[in-house]
Amino acid sequence: MIFDTHCHYNDKKFDEDRMEVLAGLCEAGVEKAVNVSASWRDLTQTLELVKEVPFLYGAVGIHPDHVGELNETRFAELRTFCHREKIVAVGEIGLDYHWDVEPRTVQKEWFIRQLHLASEEGLPVVIHSRDAAQDTFDIMKKEHAKTTGGIIHCFSASAELAREYVKLGYYIGVGGVVTFKNSRVLKEVVRSVPISSIVVETDCPYLAPAPYRGKRNSSAWLPLVIEEIARIKDMPSKEVEEITYENAMKLYHLV
Ligand code: NI
């Protein structure tokens, strides 16, 4: 049984065949998935999609590139969405210094407010961090540690920082990137973090694993990610699949 902890099935790249793709996932062994929001539009689409698809759960939150869409009214509305059925996390939230779409002070302010929201509402967080590893960690440690936990999605920092997050009780999200030949640091992260702190994710439609790199991704290709983790950790794939599934169930409070 596979748990895709991070996907975007509301994305327009699935407009032609969304329900067909979702219906086919069961055959690939995918038992559960969490559709994660980035923009306000994603968030409203996620709320609808989880009603239609039994095995799909949702995360509500605003990505650093889109925090310009937030205001007090919407923030209050976001809080009410946390109480909706099948909403299991706040995300994706964080910092993105690669694109720097919004000023860093604005990114930080909404990141912190959404972290507090998650703690207050008892939901874990899904964290996006790009070219902002140290600031993200410092804020997490100061503003959220020892509250509701969560996933550092598409982890791209050092093994040392990964171990620091694990110490604070967070899970490391590993996706298609781990299958790329040049992903030396991520392979090292997987080697050095206990399997009890790893979850698998697609970030689909993005980040398809090798040999499908560049194609439209879906949860059906997660076995390739699981196999690579198993190879790195010298464990049977089946065991990686089961443990990462249980990790996700626990962290999203589905058990
Ligand atoms: Ni994402």
Side-chain angles (χ1 to χ4, degrees), residues 6-8 36-38 63 92 126 128 153 203-204 206:
H6 191 121
C7 50
H8 301 281
V36 178
S37 322
H63 181 288
E92 52 190 288
V126 178
H128 169 101
H153 142 69
D203 205 20
C204 67
Y206 309 104

Side-chain angles (χ1 to χ4, degrees), residues 1-3 174 178 190 193-201 222-248:
M1 292 196 298
I2 297 170
F3 197 134
V174 178
V178 79
V190 169
V193 164
I195 190 71
S196 56
S197 295
I198 292 176
V199 290
V200 295
E201 59 173 38
L222 271 179
L224 294 162
V225 172
I226 290 170
E227 276 161 32
E228 180 61 12
I229 295 172
R231 192 193 63 76
I232 295 168
K233 296 192 90 61
D234 197 19
M235 287 171 69
S237 294
K238 200 70 203 159
E239 216 174 305
V240 171
E241 184 180 318
E242 281 165 15
I243 295 170
T244 55
Y245 182 88
E246 290 306 324
N247 291 346

Side-chain angles (χ1 to χ4, degrees), residues 39-254:
S39 65
W40 191 261
R41 193 163 144 262
D42 287 337
L43 197 155
T44 53
Q45 289 173 341
T46 296
L47 293 171
E48 288 311 307
L49 201 54
V50 302
K51 283 188 209 162
E52 288 169 48
V53 184
F55 66 87
L56 198 63
Y57 294 78
V60 291
I62 302 295
H63 181 288
D65 288 356
H66 299 282
V67 290
E69 298 175 9
L70 277 172
N71 54 43
E72 294 307 323
T73 313
R74 280 187 165 178
F75 191 68
E77 222 179 325
L78 177 59
R79 186 181 294 276
T80 69
F81 295 154
C82 292
H83 305 154
R84 294 274 185 100
E85 214 180 321
K86 296 179 81 188
I87 296 306
V88 295
V90 171
E92 52 190 288
I93 60 173
L95 300 173
D96 195 314
Y97 294 172
H98 179 78
W99 297 110
D100 270 328
V101 174
E102 296 294 335
R104 293 180 182 183
T105 49
V106 176
Q107 292 189 40
K108 284 180 188 170
E109 185 198 328
W110 285 114
F111 179 30
I112 292 168
R113 289 191 67 181
Q114 292 183 93
L115 285 173
H116 292 171
L117 172 74
S119 303
E120 288 155 15
E121 300 304 326
L123 293 178
V125 290
V126 178
I127 303 300
H128 169 101
S129 176
R130 190 157 182 204
D131 295 350
Q134 196 59 49
D135 278 7
T136 306
F137 181 76
D138 292 345
I139 288 175
M140 296 292 290
K141 193 169 179 178
K142 183 160 177 274
E143 307 288 345
H144 191 263
K146 301 204 167 58
T147 61
T148 52
I151 300 173
I152 316 304
H153 142 69
C154 195
F155 192 83
S156 59
S158 67
E160 194 190 348
L161 196 58
R163 288 193 297 269
E164 290 300 314
Y165 274 119
V166 168
K167 273 192 220 161
L168 295 180
Y170 293 102
Y171 290 81
I172 305 300
V174 178
V177 175
V178 79
T179 66
F180 302 167
K181 275 208 184 81
N182 57 359
S183 68
R184 193 183 54 80
V185 179
L186 183 57
K187 289 181 203 287
E188 179 54 33
V189 166
V190 169
R191 198 172 293 120
S192 78
V193 164
I195 190 71
S196 56
S197 295
I198 292 176
V199 290
V200 295
E201 59 173 38
T202 53
D203 205 20
C204 67
Y206 309 104
L207 299 176
Y212 304 112
R213 194 170 177 175
K215 297 221 164 71
R216 184 185 73 172
N217 197 7
S218 94
S219 317
W221 286 340
L222 271 179
L224 294 162
V225 172
I226 290 170
E227 276 161 32
E228 180 61 12
I229 295 172
R231 192 193 63 76
I232 295 168
K233 296 192 90 61
D234 197 19
M235 287 171 69
S237 294
K238 200 70 203 159
E239 216 174 305
V240 171
E241 184 180 318
E242 281 165 15
I243 295 170
T244 55
Y245 182 88
E246 290 306 324
N247 291 346
M249 291 291 283
K250 200 161 67 176
L251 99 92
Y252 282 132
H253 306 156
L254 292 170

